[in-house]
Amino acid sequence: MTAATRLRSVLRPVATHGASIGHWALVLAALGYLAWQSPDLLRSAAAAGAALTRLNWTWTGVCALLALAALAVYGELHRRLLVGAGAPVGVVPMQAITFAENAISSTVPVVGGAGSMAYSIARLRRRGVDPTLASWSVVLPGALSTIVLIVLAMVVAGAAGWFPVWLAVVLGLAVALGSALLWTVLTRPAVLRRALTGLLHVGRRIPWVCRGCRGAWALDPDTVSDRLTARIGLLRPTPPQWTVLVALAVVSWGLDYLALSAAATAVGIPVEWASLALGFLAVQASIALQILPGGAGLAEAGLLGTLVAAGVGAGPAAATVLVYRLITWLGLSVIGWVVYAVQIHAGPTHRHRHAPELTPHTT
């Protein structure tokens, strides 16, 4: 056994142990954030008062099932993208990644959004997905889902009378067509090559990136960018595949909205669909802002204000907010962290694969 081999055998368990400590530190940070937010939830419960004593548990269960289904459909959207690119991932592994990613994004302060993406990419790479394809596939579902929500918001605005119907139609079409045009431009090989070449020049100056890979990027950035462009080109759905992906995004948002409607029904308050839709959009906007993970504070305030403005009493409105957020934010986050904890020591071990341009003697 050479000295280098002995050193690797000593450092490997240390590195593995250090990674496990890092994972558990992330779990503890999320739990600390949830504990910090719990007084607000308790105050909401106090404000709900008697409304919670009349809670319909059947409709509460329906709300929970709808919330689970909404997140599961989003996971299937991600999986279908990978399948279309020739990188099939099983349903169960993809759902586990999705639920854990959601928990990280919703509960880890400051770095939750970036951390959830990094987690998903790492888990997909453990499943044998090419790193470039894994990275691109993590970004695209979120972007597509956001665009679909914006278009749906325009449709709702027109149907509810917030905008003139013609304006809602024009805005919705502008967002949809503009997004399609942007996708067409960004996925053109020439555009991708130029963008990737610039990113490689930046990446080779980042010290914690593999030294060998950085060397390959510096020696022949054109070859590397051509290879990466070809890999990204695999993730280019056909029109029928786009139809399925958009439909999955619509269904996911629809189930999430129905979960809010079920929460209102569980409390026993009659709320018009337009008011609930406005409250739902307020919640999603708060989450998207990422001022606090999961839109904590802003989401509750926005939904509560919308319901009260619609004529709902303060107590029932607070009860609706509490039920919906306990299920869709806290409940799904807890499930995601359980999945995350199980996966810390599960699945195949990831080993860094050098850039293919590297020859054996350069590694």
Side-chain angles (χ1 to χ4, degrees):
M1 181 182 292
T2 65
T5 303
R6 285 197 300 271
L7 181 60
R8 282 196 295 269
S9 66
V10 171
L11 293 180
R12 187 177 294 114
V14 174
T16 303
H17 181 64
S20 297
I21 292 176
H23 286 304
W24 285 112
L26 194 63
V27 174
L28 291 176
L31 292 176
Y33 177 75
L34 291 174
W36 178 54
Q37 288 294 326
S38 61
D40 290 335
L41 295 176
L42 293 175
R43 281 192 289 271
S44 297
L52 287 177
T53 63
R54 299 188 297 271
L55 189 65
N56 185 311
W57 289 102
T58 299
W59 279 105
T60 303
V62 170
C63 177
L65 290 175
L66 288 168
L68 286 168
L71 187 55
V73 170
Y74 178 79
E76 180 62 13
L77 163 62
H78 191 174
R79 192 184 76 84
R80 289 294 184 97
L81 270 169
L82 288 168
V83 170
V89 176
V91 174
V92 174
M94 193 71 251
Q95 291 298 329
I97 291 171
T98 301
F99 275 78
E101 177 188 9
N102 177 71
I104 297 170
S105 176
S106 299
T107 57
V108 176
V110 184
V111 296
S116 64
M117 293 177 65
Y119 169 82
S120 294
I121 293 169
R123 296 306 302 184
L124 288 173
R125 292 185 66 183
R126 283 173 177 249
R127 294 284 167 185
V129 180
D130 178 87
T132 305
L133 194 58
S135 303
W136 191 236
S137 76
V138 167
V139 173
L140 190 54
L144 175 61
S145 187
T146 301
I147 292 166
V148 168
L149 180 61
I150 293 172
V151 174
L152 288 175
M154 297 299 102
V155 173
V156 169
W162 303 336
F163 293 160
V165 174
W166 68 267
L167 180 58
V169 171
V170 168
L171 291 175
L173 287 175
V175 172
L177 295 176
S179 300
L181 179 61
L182 181 62
W183 169 259
T184 302
V185 172
L186 287 178
T187 55
R188 291 186 63 181
V191 176
L192 271 177
R193 285 192 191 94
R194 283 196 293 270
L196 290 169
T197 300
L199 289 175
L200 289 171
H201 284 302
V202 174
R204 67 188 178 87
R205 292 176 171 82
I206 300 176
W208 56 82
V209 175
C210 168
R211 180 181 297 179
C213 292
R214 283 191 284 134
W217 299 346
L219 287 174
D220 197 356
D222 291 334
T223 300
V224 177
S225 63
D226 285 342
R227 173 176 58 82
L228 295 179
T229 298
R231 296 303 300 161
I232 292 175
L234 295 175
L235 199 60
R236 193 170 293 154
T238 62
Q241 289 173 332
W242 273 122
T243 301
V244 172
L245 295 173
V246 171
L248 287 171
V250 172
V251 170
S252 179
W253 287 122
L255 290 170
D256 203 347
Y257 167 77
L258 289 176
L260 174 58
S261 181
T265 304
V267 176
I269 57 173
V271 184
E272 294 183 356
W273 72 267
S275 299
L276 275 181
L278 181 59
F280 177 77
L281 292 174
V283 171
Q284 300 310 322
S286 301
I287 294 172
L289 287 174
Q290 283 289 313
I291 295 175
L292 288 174
L298 288 178
E300 290 82 2
L303 180 55
L304 181 63
T306 302
L307 293 176
V308 171
V312 179
T320 301
V321 172
L322 183 66
V323 171
Y324 177 69
R325 291 291 284 168
L326 279 177
I327 291 173
T328 60
W329 178 55
L330 184 60
L332 292 180
S333 294
V334 169
I335 293 173
W337 281 115
V338 170
V339 172
Y340 182 92
V342 170
Q343 287 195 331
I344 288 177
H345 302 292
T349 302
H350 167 67
R351 292 185 178 180
H352 172 69
R353 282 179 274 181
H354 295 291
E357 289 77 16
L358 290 172
T359 55
H361 69 273
T362 62
T363 59

